[in-house]
Amino acid sequence: MNYRVIFNIVGKVLCVEAVFMLPAFFIALYCGEKAAALSFVVAMMLLILVGLPPALRKPRCRDFFARDGLAAVGFTWIAVSVLGAVPFFISGAIPNFIDCIFETVSGFTTTGASILRDVEVLPRSILYWRSFTHWLGGMGVLVFLLIFNPMTGKDTGEGMHLLRAESPGIVISKLVPRMKDSAGILYLIYIGLTLLQMVMLLCGGMPLFDTVTLTFGTAGTGGFGVLNDSVASYSPYCQWVIAVFLLLFSINFNIYFLLLLRKVRKALCNEELRVFLLIAFVAVAIIAVNTFDRYATVEETLRHSLFQVASIMSTGGFSTVDFDAWPQFSRTILVLLMFGGACTGSTGGGAKIARIVVMVKAARRAVYRAIHPNAVYLIHMDGEVVDDETVNSVGAYMLVYFLILAAATLLVTLDGFSFESNFTAAVSCMNNVGPGLGAVSPTMNYADFSWFSKLVLTFAMLIGRLEIYPVLMLFVPSVWRKISC
């Protein structure tokens, strides 16, 4: 592998992270939060100290391949998480460093699982940084880096390896010929939707600080809030706005690009989008009927049903009610929705709807071939044939996904919580959702888990956000043997 290029990328990202800490530092100064301000100064100094030397050192060889991209993404996410946890620790907001790592990884991976019992006592600058990690991790800091610093002036494809590793899915393609321009378009759409939600929440009377932090959490489909009851205290209007934008950020950003090009029919004919919206509609309808007797009005029933379905499917993790108190049928539906997650090319997590669609079609093909062995049966998505290599890779991904999920569930059971708590904690972290059932319900958190379980769940969050391979390949010895430069 080309170590110099890999660590050059990691160094540049760490420098970018230092710059992104400046707003939190200024908030600390404005609010008179001396300990928090000092913590951000220390963190920024560490980021520059660690990141600047490899960032300034130009690699002699620019050869960069797929495995280099996976390794760069894996190293980058570990580095930004560890150093991004420094403000929590230095400021004293979270005294235990393992808890700091858990909270920071949860932020960057847009999981929203928390070990904090009372977020309202935290300094505002710390709350801002905590929520901003969602926004930065939602689209990916490496995608941001590609806008301003493509690896080569020729745009020969190195950036594509990074985009595929950090924004994985069944197929990742450039929106326009130049990778730099594609990354720029993605971020412009991301920023545009973020600003639109801020305006709408401000129109609903939400305080500015709450608006900014909650929008960061919504855009990144994360779930960190600034109140202990998540978003339950806000007005119904604000809850409707957040629910709608959770769904909007769960849609493949290529759809928005097509809409900007006025290719409305092509955008609306996207099969993954139609399946995603159908699942959401059916889930909301069923849960609304199942929970109808719990709320005073139809509007309240629909609002809470839509909000929780949108929150779980987008892997946002916000809550307006304690859905752990809902009937078992509704609770089971929400757990099942955690697996599917959002669409590919969005800020949401989960296995992705496109993979579920391909697996269902592959299963149907297997049954058809058993009945008609000589028949030719092709799998199509959006009118195009899905080749067998893609189908096999999806099947392999899902197999590894469930094996890791089973292992994480087994390891977490050592803490002695109920199976419901252990299983939904692993599912929630693996799919970057946040809350689960039982001990990790919306009114609870992950504080009572042991340090070992927190590390297991932290690993699950990284695995889920990067979709397995960038993290797992760091543990494969053969990957490190041959050094190209």
Side-chain angles (χ1 to χ4, degrees):
M1 283 203 305
N2 195 333
Y3 290 105
R4 288 192 179 182
V5 172
I6 290 172
F7 288 113
N8 178 261
I9 294 169
V10 174
K12 289 176 180 177
V13 172
L14 293 179
C15 292
V16 170
E17 185 180 15
V19 174
F20 280 134
M21 279 190 184
L22 283 173
F25 169 69
F26 290 129
I27 292 173
L29 290 180
Y30 177 79
C31 296
E33 298 163 353
K34 296 181 180 179
L38 177 61
S39 70
F40 286 112
V41 170
V42 173
M44 286 187 289
M45 290 176 63
L46 282 173
L47 286 165
I48 297 299
L49 184 65
V50 175
L52 195 57
L56 294 177
R57 188 179 182 184
K58 294 184 178 180
R60 293 193 302 267
C61 177
R62 303 297 306 192
D63 291 342
F64 195 80
F65 304 102
R67 68 174 182 178
D68 298 299
L70 292 171
V73 169
F75 276 127
T76 296
W77 278 75
I78 292 172
V80 297
S81 297
V82 172
L83 293 175
V86 171
F88 294 111
F89 186 69
I90 299 288
S91 67
I94 304 177
N96 186 294
F97 194 67
I98 289 180
D99 286 349
C100 294
I101 294 292
F102 183 93
E103 197 79 9
T104 309
V105 171
S106 180
F108 277 115
T109 59
T110 71
T111 303
S114 180
I115 50 79
L116 294 169
R117 301 180 190 275
D118 186 3
V119 299
E120 295 178 24
V121 301
L122 295 181
R124 289 211 154 195
S125 56
I126 293 294
L127 286 174
Y128 173 88
W129 173 245
R130 180 171 174 262
S131 293
F132 185 72
T133 56
H134 279 335
W135 192 86
L136 191 56
M139 185 60 67
V141 67
L142 281 165
V143 177
F144 181 86
L145 182 66
L146 289 172
I147 301 173
F148 299 101
N149 191 19
M151 291 187 55
T152 69
K154 300 177 181 179
D155 199 22
T156 53
E158 296 90 338
M160 197 64 194
H161 295 312
L162 293 176
L163 184 64
R164 282 173 176 160
E166 191 178 39
S167 304
I170 292 182
V171 178
I172 298 294
S173 59
K174 293 187 286 187
L175 301 178
V176 291
R178 294 184 64 197
M179 188 68 250
K180 176 181 177 180
D181 295 336
S182 294
I185 291 170
L186 288 173
Y187 252 99
L188 283 175
I189 295 171
Y190 191 44
I191 293 170
L193 286 172
T194 300
L195 293 176
L196 179 59
Q197 183 184 344
M198 285 184 181
V199 171
M200 294 191 69
L201 289 178
L202 288 172
C203 290
M206 183 179 287
L208 178 61
F209 183 77
D210 296 42
T211 294
V212 172
T213 51
L214 283 175
T215 300
F216 286 158
T218 305
T221 59
F224 282 156
V226 294
L227 299 179
N228 291 328
D229 64 0
S230 189
V231 298
S233 297
Y234 299 107
S235 67
Y237 167 82
C238 292
Q239 292 176 7
W240 280 107
V241 169
I242 292 172
V244 170
F245 274 90
L246 282 171
L247 291 175
L248 290 177
F249 282 107
S250 304
I251 295 172
N252 191 325
F253 277 46
N254 287 14
I255 300 295
Y256 299 122
F257 182 65
L258 290 174
L259 292 176
L260 290 174
L261 296 178
R262 299 183 181 180
K263 297 181 179 180
V264 179
R265 178 172 294 184
K266 185 176 181 181
L268 297 181
C269 288
N270 181 273
E271 188 170 356
E272 183 183 33
L273 173 64
R274 287 185 284 130
V275 172
F276 175 78
L277 295 177
L278 177 63
I279 292 173
F281 176 80
V282 172
V284 170
I286 293 174
I287 291 176
V289 172
N290 192 228
T291 61
F292 186 76
D293 60 344
R294 292 175 177 262
Y295 303 106
T297 65
V298 173
E299 183 275 335
E300 189 178 6
T301 303
L302 289 175
R303 171 162 43 88
H304 292 314
S305 300
L306 173 64
F307 192 98
Q308 295 312 143
V309 168
S311 183
I312 296 299
M313 288 192 70
S314 68
T315 68
F318 290 114
S319 62
T320 56
V321 294
D322 181 11
F323 57 76
D324 193 34
W326 280 358
Q328 186 64 46
F329 186 63
S330 294
R331 295 162 75 235
T332 303
I333 290 175
L334 292 180
V335 173
L336 292 176
L337 292 178
M338 291 182 184
F339 288 96
C343 300
T344 57
S346 70
T347 63
K352 301 294 188 300
I353 296 299
R355 285 197 180 95
I356 303 300
V357 172
V358 170
M359 291 305 297
V360 169
K361 290 185 175 183
R364 186 171 62 184
R365 181 176 68 174
V367 173
Y368 186 82
R369 282 181 171 176
I371 300 173
H372 307 284
N374 298 321
V376 177
Y377 189 102
L378 300 178
I379 295 176
H380 293 83
M381 281 281 288
D382 300 327
E384 297 183 4
V385 176
V386 180
D387 57 75
D388 287 342
E389 182 180 356
T390 300
V391 175
N392 292 336
S393 68
V394 170
Y397 174 87
M398 296 303 297
L399 174 61
V400 177
Y401 169 90
F402 282 111
L403 288 175
I404 294 174
L405 178 61
T409 303
L410 180 62
L411 292 173
V412 171
T413 57
L414 294 172
D415 281 355
F417 292 106
S418 67
F419 174 76
E420 180 182 68
S421 300
N422 296 326
F423 178 68
T424 57
V427 171
S428 184
C429 288
M430 184 82 174
N431 293 288
N432 306 131
V433 177
L437 303 178
V440 292
S441 68
T443 59
M444 306 292 284
N445 56 41
Y446 291 74
D448 292 330
F449 281 93
S450 67
W451 66 269
F452 176 74
S453 291
K454 288 172 183 173
L455 289 179
V456 171
L457 294 174
T458 298
F459 183 76
M461 286 187 272
L462 281 170
I463 285 280
R465 171 58 180 83
L466 300 180
E467 300 201 348
I468 299 175
Y469 301 118
V471 178
L472 282 192
M473 71 157 294
L474 299 179
F475 299 93
V476 179
S478 60
V479 171
W480 305 100
R481 288 173 188 165
K482 184 176 181 180
I483 304 175
S484 59
C485 294

